[in-house]
Amino acid sequence: MRGNTPIVLLSVGHACVDFYQGAVAALLPFFIAERAYTYAVASGVVLAASLLSSVAQPVFGALTDRWPLPWLLPVSTLLAGAGIALSGLSGSYALTLVCVALSGIGVAAYHPESARVARIAGRGSHRAMGWFSTGGNIGFALAPLTVAAVVATGGLRWTPLLVLPALAGAAMCLCVVRAQQLRQADGFRMKVPTGSDDTTSFVQLSLAVVFRSIAFIGLSTFISLYARQRLGGSMAAGTAALSVLYLGGAIGSVLGGFLAARWDRVTVSRWSYLITAVAIAGVVWVPGPPLYLFVALTSMGLYVPFSLQVTLGQDYLPSRVGTASGITLGLAISIGGIAGPAIGSLADATSLRTALTPLVLMPVLSWLLLRTLREPSVPQPQITAPAKGDATGATHSPARGPAHAEPR
């Protein structure tokens, strides 16, 4: 269990950070109800959280390629929480946008460094990265329930209570940082091997993740409102649909790690996107309670390839793991929020069903981009540890040390 501890802590910390990405969409119905926002205006809140994050993630990724920045983990977690905690206190739309944008910067700062640390701690294991991604999905899933419980009770003025997950997540990150410092002080060095970059494949993969992002953020922004329209107008129906969308992602991330152990990552991702296209069509067009089933299938289909694409990006750019993580885990995901206002404007002019219909094409485009990709082959990371009685240290294969154990 001790060898799994860093991944467990990183997964919990990831949950606390991604809670705030899920909280943005969960707050939209309350902004609409209390402040009379239109669909387009409400989607601007999502855009504010995504836009700065999209720009900042590659920058933080490039920085982590040059220098390890473990202190970013607790600091960025606190920033992500503070922005959302303050977002409900002012009736000013501009100040609300500033608050959620600050939260987005915190999320942007967290992901490249955390993905770099998770890759090292997991020795490049797809299953370990799957657990790390699952932590983020669980945070997403808990956000609608927590926001509904807090804001439905006290209104938007109670949003400062939402800072509590950030405090817990920062504590988890501090434990990881401290453990890493102690291992380095003892002479342990965990290195990810480098190789030649395949920039063309990386760009192709990133475009596939962008289309996935448009589908996911488009649904997460409007699925709560859409479910309320389709199932009788209950706030609970909308909260349940958003929770299912996020919770299905937790299942999909774990499933993706297991499937990749049997088939390669590219093949698993291709099939997942084809299934997702059918599932989104069900969300948009199948009436009644089966909506929840198709939301769950959509979520799992979008998240089976999620962690696999993060490690694929790192393997296509082995000399720039931080940059790869910042793009596949951050930029290509948050950039989907840019499509939010367009979807909202179309919904204002027509209907939510009409506005959500183009999302069916997004996973099809991702599938087309993945058709010509090939699975990269890379060596596994190594641990350099001090030998007994040898102050200079010796190199050991990760398979021979207890730290090689994967999360179970």
Side-chain angles (χ1 to χ4, degrees):
M1 176 64 185
R2 183 175 297 177
N4 297 334
T5 300
I7 288 295
V8 172
L9 292 176
L10 285 167
S11 299
V12 175
H14 195 190
C16 295
V17 171
D18 278 6
F19 172 90
Y20 296 105
Q21 293 198 80
V24 175
L27 284 167
L28 290 187
F30 297 99
F31 285 136
I32 290 172
E34 291 194 24
R35 301 179 181 177
Y37 289 172
T38 64
Y39 291 141
V41 170
S43 61
V45 176
V46 178
L47 176 61
S50 302
L51 192 58
L52 280 179
S53 180
S54 298
V55 174
Q57 298 240 23
V59 175
F60 284 112
L63 289 174
T64 60
D65 281 334
R66 292 195 64 180
W67 307 285
L69 301 172
W71 57 267
L72 266 183
L73 300 184
V75 171
S76 59
T77 301
L78 291 174
L79 183 59
I84 294 300
L86 296 173
S87 65
L89 296 184
S90 173
S92 166
Y93 183 64
L95 287 178
T96 300
L97 296 183
V98 169
C99 289
V100 297
L102 288 175
S103 179
I105 292 174
V107 170
Y110 174 85
H111 280 104
E113 179 67 8
S114 65
R116 184 188 68 84
V117 174
R119 178 179 171 88
I120 292 173
R123 316 294 184 267
S125 163
H126 306 323
R127 190 176 298 180
M129 188 60 76
W131 282 108
F132 171 71
S133 299
T134 297
N137 301 140
I138 291 173
F140 265 112
L142 292 176
L145 301 175
T146 307
V147 169
V150 171
V151 181
T153 301
L156 289 172
R157 69 181 184 277
W158 276 34
T159 55
L161 290 177
L162 298 177
V163 78
L164 294 177
L167 298 177
M172 297 291 176
C173 293
L174 285 172
C175 291
V176 172
V177 171
R178 179 59 178 163
Q180 186 182 47
Q181 290 173 340
L182 289 175
R183 286 181 66 83
Q184 290 178 351
D186 288 340
F188 286 86
R189 295 292 185 272
M190 292 182 286
K191 296 182 179 180
V192 177
T194 60
S196 58
D197 293 341
D198 184 353
T199 305
T200 301
S201 294
F202 178 76
V203 170
Q204 200 168 331
L205 173 71
S206 298
L207 288 173
V209 181
V210 166
F211 290 122
R212 175 215 171 271
S213 170
I214 293 172
F216 178 74
I217 294 186
L219 286 171
S220 65
T221 301
F222 295 107
I223 192 64
S224 179
L225 299 168
Y226 188 60
R228 289 175 62 188
Q229 285 186 3
R230 298 285 300 278
L231 301 172
S234 165
M235 184 71 78
T239 300
L242 190 57
S243 295
V244 169
L245 180 68
Y246 290 156
L247 188 59
I251 299 171
S253 290
V254 175
L255 183 60
F258 281 99
L259 292 175
R262 182 167 183 179
W263 296 283
D264 66 83
R265 292 168 289 180
V266 175
T267 299
V268 171
S269 298
R270 286 179 192 144
W271 281 103
S272 296
Y273 282 129
L274 285 179
I275 294 170
T276 301
V278 176
I280 295 177
V283 170
V284 175
W285 290 310
V286 174
L291 169 75
Y292 292 113
L293 172 62
F294 285 106
V295 169
L297 290 174
T298 296
S299 180
M300 287 188 285
L302 288 173
Y303 269 97
V304 161
F306 181 72
S307 64
L308 306 183
Q309 290 170 153
V310 174
T311 59
L312 274 172
Q314 293 171 336
D315 290 344
Y316 286 137
L317 289 185
S319 70
R320 290 174 286 169
V321 168
T323 299
S325 301
I327 292 175
T328 56
L329 191 59
L331 170 64
I333 296 168
S334 58
I335 202 170
I338 296 175
I343 297 172
S345 296
L346 182 58
D348 287 331
T350 56
S351 67
L352 267 178
R353 173 179 285 183
T354 301
L356 294 177
T357 296
L359 299 183
V360 176
L361 297 176
M362 298 300 107
V364 176
L365 294 173
S366 295
W367 173 76
L368 288 172
L369 285 163
L370 290 175
R371 285 191 66 194
T372 58
L373 284 185
R374 295 293 178 264
E375 183 77 11
S377 177
V378 294
Q380 291 297 304
Q382 300 282 321
I383 298 179
T384 300
K388 292 183 179 180
D390 183 2
T392 61
T395 301
H396 301 273
S397 168
R400 296 174 59 188
H404 179 65
E406 293 183 352
R408 290 179 172 85

